[in-house]
Amino acid sequence: QVQLVESGGGLVQAGGSLRLSCAASGSIFRLNARGWYRQVPGKPRELVATITSGGSTNYADSVKGRFTMSRDNVKNTVYLQMNNLKPEDTARYYCNADIWYSSDYFSSDLWGQGTQVTVSS
């Protein structure tokens, strides 16, 4: 079964940057990204960024001006560029998307396993 796979997390010092990627684990027709979320153990998953079909993006106030969500429709990949990272950005980051297997068959509201981002002070 094709799954969403996030990558690009890691350990970075405060002020540093990371770029997260989200793609399908196999061949698909189209990836329809919904957003990036993050979660800290013991706390609810929170919205980081969303993107519309037209490409408009929205961000949580805590990341505005530092994070940028984008997509590559040719590569069927979604990105989250994170700059000026802060210790409070430490979390597991998840991609949320729909996967189109063909022009008329899709699975909606899928989640990957996440990728850990740790920002040291």
Side-chain angles (χ1 to χ4, degrees), residues 33-118:
R34 289 170 174 245
W36 284 95
Y37 293 73
R38 65 187 182 187
Q39 189 169 24
V40 175
K43 293 188 177 181
R45 190 168 295 186
E46 65 170 349
L47 176 67
V48 175
T50 60
I51 190 167
T52 68
S53 58
S56 297
T57 52
N58 282 288
Y59 301 92
D61 288 343
S62 58
V63 306
K64 278 181 181 177
R66 300 187 297 121
F67 289 13
T68 303
M69 182 175 181
S70 63
R71 66 188 179 198
D72 185 327
N73 291 331
V74 174
K75 295 182 178 180
N76 278 323
T77 302
V78 182
Y79 303 99
L80 184 67
Q81 178 67 44
M82 306 186 295
N83 297 328
N84 191 22
L85 282 161
K86 303 176 180 181
E88 51 264 43
D89 294 319
T90 296
R92 193 162 189 86
Y93 285 71
Y94 296 88
C95 174
N96 180 225
D98 307 325
I99 291 179
W100 288 78
Y101 305 101
S102 67
S103 60
D104 57 0
Y105 177 55
F106 68 97
S107 293
S108 64
D109 199 21
L110 300 176
W111 297 87
Q113 294 299 306
T115 184
Q116 179 66 34
V117 172
T118 303

Side-chain angles (χ1 to χ4, degrees), residues 17-35:
S17 298
L18 286 172
R19 188 176 80 156
L20 306 184
S21 299
C22 173
S25 59
S27 179
I28 61 172
F29 180 70
R30 186 172 77 239
L31 182 70
N32 179 39
R34 289 170 174 245

